[in-house]
Amino acid sequence: MRGLGHCGWLVIATIAVGAGAKAQAGGPAVPEADSAIWTRPAVSRPASSYDLPPGEDPENRLMSPFAKHVVCDQKQFWTTPGRWRFEDLHWLVPTAGVTAALVASDSWLAKQVPASRARSSQKISDYALYSLGGAGAGSLLLGHFRGNDRLSEAGLLSGEAAIDSMAAAYAMKLVTQRERPGQETGHGSFFAGGSSFPSEHAAVAWSVASAWAHEYPGWLSQTLAYGLASTVTLTRVTGRQHFPSDALVGSVLGWYLARQVYRAHHDRDLGGAAWGRLMPESETADKPPRSRENMGSPYVPPDSWVYPAFDRLIALGIIRDAYVGLRPWTRMQCARLVEEAEEPMDDDAGADAGADRTLTALADEFREEALRLDGASSGSAGVDSIYTRATSISGTPLRDGYHFGQTIINDYGRPYGEGFNAITGVTAHAEAGAFSLFVQGEYQRAPAVASDAAPVLSATAAVDSVSPVASDATPGTDRLRLLQSAAAVTFHGVQVSLGRQSLWLSPGAGGPLLFSDNAAPMAMLRIDAVTPYEIPLLSRLLGPVRSEFFLGRFSGQTWEFSPQLYGPELASQPFLHGSKFSFHPTANLEFGMGFTAQFGGPGNPFTWGNFLRTFYSHRVGIANNPAKRLSEFDFRYRVPRLRNWAEVYADSMVIDEYSPIGSTRPAINPGVYFPRLPRLTNLDLRLEGVTTDLNVPAHYGPGAFYWDDRYRSGYTNDGNLIGSWVGRRGRGEQGWLTYHFSPYSDVGFAYRHNSVDRGFLEGGSLRDFSVRAEIALGRTTSLAAFVQQERWHFPLLAAGAQSDLTAAVQLTFWPGRKPKRN
């Protein structure tokens, strides 16, 4: 009996109080007929009343013994999976994804909780649960003695829901046997004899709170009930009794069982709030459409074909409301842009038949999301693409953008080397109600790469202020990898996603200075205002705003270890948090401001105090350095008198200053985009320049934009730059000329050049020309080819100029694409 703990004894006490109240009145412990709550007339009942409208109980269960209620509740709960249908995958898949993502991050999250707060959190948890139990038992007693049927029902249904949730939680504990945070290694292993998953305290708290708050739906009663339940959930984690996923699943379990009990047994004649379906029903003439602000949607990967297509329509003035400097966008955002595409600003823009075909293709790509916006669909799921790419590289490619350069850029940090390289992958998504899920998995193959020569290793170690390594050779890659994956939930226009994600924070095409897809996607939490909103007073001047915050963790970072300075925390990886705000003052102007801070790691662990220091502290020195901070400003503007012909933009970044505006040492990436050329409306041209070599003081360190005296692996994830390919102390140019045969078929020519200052690793340069073509082979298949000739000279790597040739072919199957080809 000791295994019941506080939670079990509390529930037993609650029920005993109810039974004692009935016995004291001279009747049995089951409901009597002297109260309206027990005397509703019996009617015939279908097989299951849980699917009936709230309050209908045809079998008159409230006249049955209390135990029969609980047995029926448990039967309904445990047999629910047998009634699931294919359509339920719309919410099952995102829910499973969110749970899996949280379980995967449990160990790290639990370790961020200070041990000093455990005991006080446990006391708070117990007191909050006692308060909820007291509210339920008190309602039952007070309602009985005062003859208040509604109050009695609130206590009775709270107790029934608590017993149901506790029984379900203990059954799940017996099956999962997950270790608690303080057991063994603290990783929370399943089937290891533990009792952590799910949290029965959270389940009981939410079951009591939910039932009681629906019986009395006033704002004060709901605030108190849900506030106490949330306190229990949070303190079970901060008390180091459960992992976050344990507490979350327990909370959802309690809420769900309270819903089922309330819907089956609540007497609507007594008042209280209605409790509808878990998933929204299809709209009818009598029901308003679902709120668009609560529709979840997965993100479209940054390398998708849709972004260049949107860029062209935006530059032509056909789409005016896009926030180009804050990507990726969700599929729902893309559908909204297509829906909101205005008539061309003048006849000159409307004469572009290619633009009209592009808009039609985008409408077809996001037709499922358009149906959701119109209320004709509640969700969708499917495979977006299946692809295979073969790449051959002859000659020695550049693979170290942090020190020299990269032959292949903006490719999610995929491995490559001289010889044969290959990837085969699949992308898929699911969206239902407020939930969404995106997954991209790949098989990757790349040749082994020999180590750089000893002089190169010594020189790069010296410039990074670390000890040289004996070899930096990498073995051949032959692996399956989950490249990107994110589970998300959307509420009132704000989407919260968790998983491996990549960002593109710039209006340019070459590579943002702040965050690009040049490196492997980062495990991150992302809070994104996917719907533009207005800031009082400020938006009158600057227009609507979109914003986002993200918190991610690096991988592949190395440290110059000093036991006296850091202690034994070698394996600890730093974190990256960032924010960006983008404003739209007019249809032709957009500008944004961004910020990132690299913090944490040995000697500076992740605590909320250290997190807050990254915003205001400016101490110097390795031991006191709060963060490696970068600030960014960008804009894009459609040129007056050339509105449908030219768009200018720029991306800029600075170290440890609040903004690049007015700075004498920013990194700059300006560009100009011509969405069409005279007499060649299907041809577009883009030109960009970039530099990270402007007036940076020597005391900042070598290549300071992406290097730091504390984070000596720099602004890299798994060895690749998160920012621009131009790297440290580089100056470069890029150009693209593309001819569009149709929205799915085009051919393009590109040029790229980079020169590195001689004061950094003896300098050097690279120059490459490339041709890329993509041809639609049918309704659902496309073939892409890419050839790049590169010539580079970095004296430290090789005495003379070197060259390499890269050729790639990719075949893609698009299961959901069924437009007519033009």
Side-chain angles (χ1 to χ4, degrees), residues 482-508:
L482 193 61
L483 187 67
Q484 297 188 85
S485 62
V489 61
T490 305
F491 183 70
H492 284 298
V494 177
Q495 179 152 305
V496 180
S497 58
L498 185 66
R500 294 179 62 87
Q501 303 180 70
S502 190
L503 309 178
W504 190 274
L505 302 182
S506 164

Side-chain angles (χ1 to χ4, degrees), residues 153-419:
E153 185 187 77
L156 188 70
L157 296 186
S158 296
E160 182 179 340
I163 288 181
D164 284 329
S165 60
M166 187 175 67
Y170 274 110
M172 294 172 68
K173 284 175 178 289
L174 290 174
V175 174
T176 59
Q177 297 186 32
R178 188 184 196 188
E179 294 175 339
R180 292 184 182 266
Q183 290 181 276
E184 300 297 334
T185 61
H187 291 159
S189 300
F190 286 87
F191 314 112
S195 60
S196 187
F197 186 90
S199 167
E200 75 280 3
H201 281 69
V204 169
W206 277 90
S207 61
V208 173
S210 301
W212 204 90
H214 273 77
E215 194 74 59
Y216 290 94
W219 69 268
L220 180 59
S221 58
Q222 288 192 335
T223 299
L224 291 174
Y226 289 132
L228 286 170
S230 300
T231 299
V232 173
T233 299
L234 180 62
T235 52
R236 296 312 288 171
V237 177
T238 58
R240 303 175 73 88
Q241 296 298 300
H242 290 280
F243 290 100
S245 64
D246 304 335
L248 178 63
V249 172
S251 302
V252 174
L253 178 67
W255 177 90
Y256 173 80
L257 285 166
R259 171 190 178 274
Q260 298 303 86
V261 168
Y262 187 87
R263 282 171 58 87
H265 308 314
H266 168 61
D267 184 356
R268 287 186 296 181
D269 293 337
L270 298 177
W275 204 331
R277 292 179 173 269
L278 286 175
M279 298 302 295
E281 303 178 54
S282 298
E283 291 79 13
T284 66
D286 300 328
K287 296 180 181 179
R290 295 183 292 271
S291 172
R292 293 184 173 191
E293 292 189 342
N294 295 331
M295 292 183 180
S297 183
Y299 289 100
V300 180
D303 61 345
S304 171
W305 69 274
V306 307
Y307 293 113
F310 274 119
D311 283 345
R312 192 158 187 258
L313 297 180
I314 292 165
L316 289 171
I318 297 173
I319 293 177
R320 302 183 179 186
D321 300 324
Y323 289 75
V324 178
L326 201 57
R327 293 186 287 199
W329 300 330
T330 66
R331 295 182 64 86
M332 194 65 71
Q333 285 177 287
C334 294
R336 288 192 185 102
L337 291 177
V338 173
E339 180 189 62
E340 297 167 3
E342 300 180 5
E343 292 296 325
M345 296 178 67
D346 52 45
D347 294 338
D348 188 30
D352 193 337
D356 183 64
R357 292 196 300 269
T358 299
L359 186 60
T360 301
L362 289 170
D364 181 81
E365 177 73 17
F366 301 107
R367 64 184 181 277
E368 291 292 340
E369 286 69 30
L371 290 174
R372 293 185 69 200
L373 290 174
D374 293 337
S377 172
S378 61
S380 65
V383 176
D384 299 320
S385 67
I386 303 171
Y387 57 91
T388 183
R389 184 174 81 189
T391 303
S392 177
I393 302 178
S394 62
T396 304
L398 293 168
R399 302 178 63 256
D400 185 359
Y402 185 52
H403 296 108
F404 303 104
Q406 292 176 230
T407 295
I408 298 178
I409 62 172
N410 301 332
D411 194 40
Y412 298 123
R414 292 182 175 109
Y416 63 89
E418 183 177 2

Side-chain angles (χ1 to χ4, degrees), residues 503-806:
L503 309 178
W504 190 274
L505 302 182
S506 164
L513 292 164
L514 194 64
F515 205 119
S516 72
D517 63 6
N518 189 61
M522 182 180 293
M524 68 169 63
L525 167 69
R526 187 178 177 196
I527 304 174
D528 183 10
V530 294
T531 301
Y533 60 93
E534 293 193 354
I535 300 175
L537 300 179
L538 186 63
S539 289
R540 291 188 178 184
L541 176 65
L542 303 181
V545 59
R546 274 198 58 219
S547 61
E548 77 169 45
F549 167 83
F550 61 89
L551 172 64
R553 193 171 195 182
F554 289 87
S555 59
Q557 291 274 321
T558 57
W559 303 88
E560 184 68 0
F561 182 57
S562 171
Q564 293 76 23
L565 181 60
Y566 294 137
E569 302 178 59
L570 261 180
S572 180
Q573 291 288 300
F575 297 83
L576 180 74
H577 77 79
S579 303
K580 187 168 184 185
F581 294 82
S582 287
F583 296 86
H584 232 312
T586 71
N588 299 313
L589 174 64
E590 172 193 348
F591 71 90
M593 296 169 285
F595 166 86
T596 64
Q598 184 176 354
F599 72 107
N604 186 24
F606 187 137
T607 65
W608 293 114
N610 284 336
F611 172 77
L612 293 175
R613 287 178 62 222
T614 64
F615 291 96
Y616 66 85
S617 178
H618 294 277
R619 294 183 179 181
V620 297
I622 297 177
N624 297 317
N625 186 5
K628 165 70 173 179
R629 290 172 290 213
L630 301 171
S631 299
E632 179 260 4
F633 175 83
D634 62 63
F635 77 90
R636 65 174 182 87
Y637 185 55
R638 298 176 66 235
V639 179
R641 300 183 182 275
L642 294 173
R643 293 294 194 204
N644 304 321
W645 294 91
E647 181 180 76
V648 297
Y649 55 89
D651 182 19
S652 58
M653 187 177 72
V654 71
I655 313 167
D656 284 338
E657 294 185 52
Y658 289 108
S659 173
I661 299 176
S663 174
T664 59
R665 48 183 174 82
I668 302 177
N669 182 192
V672 59
Y673 177 49
F674 303 96
R676 57 183 176 174
L677 299 179
R679 300 181 181 275
L680 296 170
T681 57
N682 288 340
L683 191 68
D684 64 36
L685 174 66
R686 187 186 293 268
L687 303 170
E688 291 183 8
V690 58
T691 179
T692 56
D693 192 27
L694 285 180
N695 306 321
V696 180
H699 68 268
Y700 270 63
F705 272 104
Y706 293 131
W707 179 86
D708 186 69
D709 61 353
R710 172 173 172 76
Y711 303 103
R712 298 178 184 180
S713 292
Y715 202 60
T716 65
N717 194 43
D718 279 338
N720 288 293
L721 282 167
I722 299 172
S724 172
W725 59 271
V726 77
R728 299 155 70 180
R729 299 191 68 175
R731 296 172 181 257
E733 308 86 38
Q734 280 184 283
W736 302 263
L737 184 67
T738 306
Y739 186 84
H740 303 271
F741 299 101
S742 77
Y744 305 108
S745 300
D746 55 48
V747 60
F749 303 87
Y751 167 78
R752 179 173 67 116
H753 169 252
N754 184 25
S755 60
V756 178
D757 192 286
R758 291 184 179 181
F760 182 76
L761 292 174
E762 301 183 22
S765 66
L766 67 85
R767 180 179 287 105
D768 61 49
F769 299 88
S770 63
V771 179
R772 178 195 55 80
E774 183 162 359
I775 305 298
L777 301 180
R779 295 171 65 86
T780 60
T781 309
S782 66
L783 180 68
F786 172 81
V787 178
Q788 174 181 282
Q789 174 67 50
E790 181 178 58
R791 184 176 178 85
W792 58 267
H793 182 208
F794 288 89
L796 190 61
L797 292 178
Q802 305 290 311
S803 64
D804 58 76
L805 179 67
T806 302

Side-chain angles (χ1 to χ4, degrees), residues 39-60:
T39 57
R40 286 178 292 154
V43 295
S44 62
R45 165 195 172 89
S48 175
S49 68
Y50 286 88
D51 295 327
L52 296 177
E56 291 191 11
D57 186 12
E59 212 174 58
N60 212 354

